[in-house]
Amino acid sequence: MGRWICCLCSKASNSLMLLLVLVLSCNPCTAATSSPSAPHVKPSYSFGRTFLGLDKCNACIGTSICKKFFKEEIRFDTWLSSHLKLPPSYLLSYSGNYTDDVKSWRLVDITRLTSKYQHDRADKHICTSLLKTKTCSLEHALRRTHRFQKWLRAKRLTPDLVQGLSSPMLRCPSQRLLDRIVRRYAEVPDAGSIYMDHLTDRDKLRLLYTLSVNSHPILLQIFPNVEGWPFPRYLGSCGRLVVSASTRPLHDFYDAAPEVAADLALQLLTVLRSMGTNDLNYFFYFTHVDAGTFGVFSNGHLFIRDASTLGIIDKEEGTQLIDGQQEYKDIFSCLTVDCQSEFVSCDSIREKHSLVMVCQELLPKLLKGKFQQPVQEKIDSSLQQCANSLADDQGVSQAVAKLAELLKPLRSCDSRFAYRYPDCKYSDKY
């Protein structure tokens, strides 16, 4: 009706003023002359298979979280800028945002198992070593290897199938540990079986490749955060990228307030003790530590941020390597390390191993000059005793116990430490 009146007015009226009045009072006509609002266009983010590493599958980690990337339910921090550009591909890690309902977002870490340069060099090494060409199908080349052919025929993951791999986790393997890897491998549907019948050829290659390059995501899967292990939650993989819960590296806290430093140092000692003594009788040790090895969640809880340098000794079953087995090397042994590098003997690992390294490399930087005398002097003295690699296990343990005794009363109980607040107000434990 409104449109008919407008049209009638435009034809019959000789008065310009009358026409203007009628047009302005006519909703459809006004709508036709006003500028329509631009429709909301959802921005599109193009990854490219190369950025994710999907072009290298099945010589990759997995594809369990790829849908999240392509549905834009995982976003890099740079996507929140006006440029909407992906970050540089040469970085080792990225800060991102993850959602399950497109309403609430949480921070995640998106990481590569090794740098893109090392990945590219390893890919080239595969082609030149196995097929004598500069480029090749990585999957085709690796499938032809003697090791992978053994994996294809195997019903169970046994120590001989992982012999010579560079991962510290597999230098002293037990059958119990290898069964746990197969049973909890998160990139395949959970079968709860120690046998590899539920793994396709593709799955076996991805598992072997991951163990050969960096065992970090495997450790997050087989010792999950929800069971109390000090690792960030594993969320999935896509190509050669791993997504896990976000933590801030420990070096961000070197300038923290004294009570924060004391809390983190005490947590660090507690984590190392739990990795040496736990209900499953696995002894975890570090082959290397630095400021990025440990991280801190937003609630103040400290975790192992990078598990790539963790070795495991099974105190229940012991190691099942036969003489000379560690010396076996092939292309899978050399994807990220020099093939000439020597393995650490399982028998040479002592209980004090990780404690000494942490007391040498991390705790002095975290606790230096933070407290008043004579407390600071006592802390420094305990650190020196703990860092003494010539001391026996008992001597190091006593120094650590003394250090923990000094640190405990230096902590505070407030909302900055959400992981233990307000429990600390009502418990003698803190």
Side-chain angles (χ1 to χ4, degrees):
M1 177 64 72
R3 184 174 300 172
W4 181 83
I5 293 175
C6 287
C7 296
L8 177 62
C9 291
S10 62
K11 290 181 179 180
S13 177
N14 295 323
S15 171
L16 180 60
M17 183 61 70
L18 180 60
L19 176 61
L20 289 174
V21 172
L22 288 173
V23 168
L24 290 175
S25 64
C26 180
N27 291 337
C29 294
T30 304
T33 57
S34 64
S35 299
S37 59
H40 176 70
V41 179
K42 189 177 182 180
S44 177
Y45 306 96
S46 175
F47 292 96
R49 295 169 61 83
T50 302
F51 182 87
L52 293 172
L54 283 171
D55 58 325
K56 304 298 176 65
C57 282
N58 291 304
C60 63
I61 313 167
T63 56
S64 61
I65 209 166
C66 286
K67 287 183 179 180
K68 285 281 187 182
F69 277 104
F70 290 117
K71 290 169 64 178
E72 299 170 22
E73 293 175 351
I74 296 178
R75 296 189 172 194
F76 294 88
D77 272 355
T78 52
W79 285 11
L80 303 181
S81 70
S82 59
H83 297 84
L84 300 175
K85 292 181 180 179
L86 287 174
S89 60
Y90 58 80
L91 296 178
L92 189 60
S93 63
Y94 312 89
S95 179
N97 297 273
Y98 175 101
T99 184
D100 287 318
D101 54 16
V102 195
K103 295 179 182 178
S104 58
W105 294 80
R106 50 193 163 119
L107 290 175
V108 293
D109 289 333
I110 306 169
T111 57
R112 301 182 187 277
L113 295 191
T114 185
S115 69
K116 189 175 185 302
Y117 168 77
Q118 288 177 303
H119 268 312
D120 291 343
R121 187 175 65 173
D123 294 343
K124 183 178 180 181
H125 181 55
I126 291 171
C127 293
T128 55
S129 298
L130 299 179
L131 298 182
K132 311 302 180 184
T133 59
K134 292 184 178 180
T135 58
C136 68
S137 165
L138 299 177
E139 180 173 357
H140 177 67
L142 294 176
R143 277 178 172 271
R144 295 175 56 179
T145 61
H146 175 67
R147 187 192 293 267
F148 187 66
Q149 289 301 312
K150 287 179 65 178
W151 272 63
L152 289 179
R153 296 189 296 268
K155 293 290 185 182
R156 193 175 182 182
L157 186 60
T158 51
D160 63 297
L161 295 177
V162 298
Q163 61 179 318
L165 296 184
S166 62
S167 168
M169 183 181 75
L170 299 173
R171 292 181 186 175
C172 313
S174 69
Q175 188 59 58
R176 186 168 71 113
L177 176 64
L178 298 179
D179 288 344
R180 189 176 182 87
I181 292 175
V182 173
R183 195 171 64 249
R184 295 186 166 219
Y185 182 42
E187 287 298 311
V188 299
D190 182 16
S193 172
I194 62 174
Y195 297 101
M196 296 196 290
D197 297 336
H198 62 293
L199 301 184
T200 65
D201 294 357
R202 175 200 65 193
D203 298 329
K204 289 182 178 180
L205 181 57
R206 291 178 180 178
L207 177 57
L208 173 56
Y209 179 84
T210 306
L211 290 172
S212 302
V213 175
N214 188 328
S215 58
H216 169 77
I218 303 299
L219 273 160
L220 268 56
Q221 294 169 42
I222 66 176
F223 298 107
N225 171 273
V226 293
E227 294 180 5
W229 296 96
F231 301 109
R233 182 185 174 191
Y234 176 81
L235 297 172
S237 300
C238 184
R240 289 180 170 179
L241 293 180
V242 179
V243 183
S244 59
S246 176
T247 58
R248 289 177 59 193
L250 185 63
H251 61 70
D252 285 0
F253 297 86
Y254 282 169
D255 295 328
E259 61 272 19
V260 174
D263 183 83
L264 292 176
L266 197 56
Q267 284 193 73
L268 185 50
L269 296 178
T270 301
V271 165
L272 293 182
R273 284 203 198 96
S274 70
M275 303 306 278
T277 304
N278 51 75
D279 293 341
L280 294 184
N281 270 334
Y282 287 115
F283 175 69
F284 296 77
Y285 66 93
F286 286 98
T287 58
H288 170 78
V289 295
D290 57 39
T293 302
F294 298 91
V296 183
F297 282 142
S298 58
N299 65 357
H301 209 167
L302 181 137
F303 280 74
I304 296 174
R305 189 171 190 255
D306 179 6
S308 62
T309 62
L310 266 182
I312 302 178
I313 294 176
D314 191 335
K315 295 195 293 185
E316 186 171 303
E317 287 191 1
T319 178
Q320 296 185 18
L321 282 176
I322 60 176
D323 292 339
Q325 196 172 50
Q326 283 191 330
E327 282 67 38
Y328 174 87
K329 294 182 180 178
D330 63 357
I331 189 67
F332 290 99
S333 310
C334 315
L335 291 182
T336 57
V337 298
D338 183 358
C339 278
Q340 304 305 315
S341 60
E342 296 295 328
F343 290 117
V344 177
S345 170
C346 301
D347 296 332
S348 67
I349 305 300
R350 311 296 300 173
E351 289 186 10
K352 67 177 185 178
H353 188 84
S354 297
L355 289 169
V356 170
M357 282 196 295
V358 167
C359 288
Q360 289 176 342
E361 302 295 332
L362 302 183
L363 290 181
K365 298 174 183 176
L366 185 63
L367 300 174
K368 182 179 180 180
K370 288 289 173 68
F371 310 99
Q372 295 182 354
Q373 300 297 353
V375 174
Q376 184 70 55
E377 184 178 353
K378 293 178 180 179
I379 289 176
D380 293 341
S381 176
S382 295
L383 279 176
Q384 290 178 1
Q385 296 175 42
C386 171
N388 183 6
S389 59
L390 298 179
D392 56 19
D393 289 345
Q394 184 177 1
V396 172
S397 295
Q398 290 175 348
V400 168
K402 179 62 177 177
L403 181 59
E405 182 182 338
L406 291 168
L407 291 172
K408 190 172 182 180
L410 298 175
R411 301 185 301 170
S412 64
C413 181
D414 57 63
S415 58
R416 288 176 296 172
F417 311 100
Y419 79 96
R420 58 181 175 88
Y421 180 83
D423 294 350
C424 54
K425 296 180 68 174
Y426 310 104
S427 174
D428 294 335
K429 176 182 177 182
Y430 298 103

